[in-house]
Amino acid sequence: DIQMTQSPSSLSASVGDRVTITCQASQDISNYLNWYQQKPGKAPKLLIYDASNLETGVPSRFSGSGSGTDFTFTISSLQPEDIATYYCQQYDNLPPLYTFGQGTKLEIK
Amino acid sequence: EVQLVESGGGLVQPGGSLRLSCAASGFTFSSYWMSWVRQAPGKGLEWVANIKQDGSEKYYVDSVKGRFTISRDNAKNSLYLQMNSLRAEDTAVYYCASSLGAAAGLFDYWGQGTLVTVSS
């Protein structure tokens, strides 16, 4: 099974800060990596797909990069509404066994 | 507008059964893979199962194989999860998720979730 190691598990930053979250796969997953945002009590929301593609309607301050085993998610200028938990997710399995990272809880300093 | 609405959650005793439903609207349901994803209280996300457009392929995470069955009724635009032999560790919010993009593993729309609690 492919394991996803996400770090940090929590992060405190100030409004306007650049925020970076990393996700490492236990084996090469090409670019089959998605990023989701989950606000408290809400369903997850897709932000980035295939490592670097911004989902329609998602603000451009969110971005993703990487391929193979190492991936990065960035918020270029943190806004108060970005407070949430962020998850990476891989889908490079046949047959399917999609796995999520442990999540990064983002708080405002 | 894409909408996914789950129902059927509740309190059930260990060893019991429950059937979750997900009503889909706003897209051609029969054209896309669908999944169930769960989240235990205070924990992360776990993909549970998915099903191909025509129901001919179904896949499960190891922890639910032999106990859970995913199915769909394209005439009713509905997705189901039959859960048998429930355990305390199955307690979670269960989300229905669609894959309207190119890949079955890309969850682009989610329902609001339904809570399943397994406890005596």
Side-chain angles (χ1 to χ4, degrees):
Chain A
D1 298 357
I2 299 176
Q3 308 301 319
M4 305 302 294
T5 303
Q6 189 176 336
S7 62
S9 57
S10 64
L11 176 58
S12 182
S14 300
V15 172
D17 281 355
R18 182 181 184 89
V19 170
T20 299
I21 299 169
T22 64
C23 191
Q24 185 171 59
S26 59
Q27 63 189 68
D28 189 335
I29 59 170
S30 184
N31 67 332
Y32 300 124
L33 191 285
N34 307 316
W35 291 95
Y36 300 86
Q37 175 193 64
Q38 186 179 33
K39 296 184 177 181
K42 300 294 186 181
K45 174 186 176 184
L46 177 66
L47 299 181
I48 303 286
Y49 65 95
D50 294 347
S52 60
N53 294 296
L54 194 66
E55 176 72 346
T56 302
V58 173
S60 59
R61 64 180 180 274
F62 297 100
S63 64
S65 64
S67 66
T69 61
D70 295 303
F71 302 87
T72 300
F73 172 81
T74 300
I75 306 174
S76 60
S77 179
L78 184 66
Q79 300 301 304
E81 60 266 32
D82 299 337
I83 297 313
T85 299
Y86 293 84
Y87 294 92
C88 63
Q89 174 243 332
Q90 67 80 20
Y91 66 102
D92 184 39
N93 292 114
L94 286 174
L97 181 55
Y98 311 125
T99 47
F100 290 85
Q102 305 95 313
T104 295
K105 186 175 183 179
L106 179 55
E107 299 174 329
I108 292 285
K109 192 180 293 183
Chain B
E1 178 193 5
V2 172
Q3 281 199 320
L4 300 169
V5 179
E6 301 93 337
S7 60
L11 175 63
V12 60
Q13 292 187 340
S17 298
L18 213 54
R19 188 196 196 207
L20 305 184
S21 299
C22 171
S25 61
F27 64 102
T28 306
F29 180 75
S30 60
S31 296
Y32 300 101
W33 284 81
M34 296 293 296
S35 289
W36 288 98
V37 178
R38 68 184 178 182
Q39 186 171 36
K43 301 298 183 182
L45 300 166
E46 180 182 41
W47 170 79
V48 174
N50 69 349
I51 184 168
K52 195 175 179 179
Q53 291 90 327
D54 61 358
S56 61
E57 294 181 35
K58 305 175 184 182
Y59 300 96
Y60 302 89
V61 68
D62 283 350
S63 59
V64 309
K65 283 180 183 175
R67 300 189 300 122
F68 290 12
T69 302
I70 189 171
S71 63
R72 63 193 297 162
D73 185 335
N74 288 339
K76 294 183 177 180
N77 290 338
S78 292
L79 177 71
Y80 306 101
L81 187 67
Q82 177 67 42
M83 303 186 295
N84 299 330
S85 303
L86 282 161
R87 306 167 180 167
E89 54 265 36
D90 296 319
T91 295
V93 173
Y94 284 74
Y95 295 101
C96 163
S98 65
S99 298
L100 306 191
L106 176 61
F107 310 130
D108 39 23
Y109 290 93
W110 299 63
Q112 84 289 350
T114 188
L115 176 62
V116 173
T117 302
V118 184
S119 175
S120 55

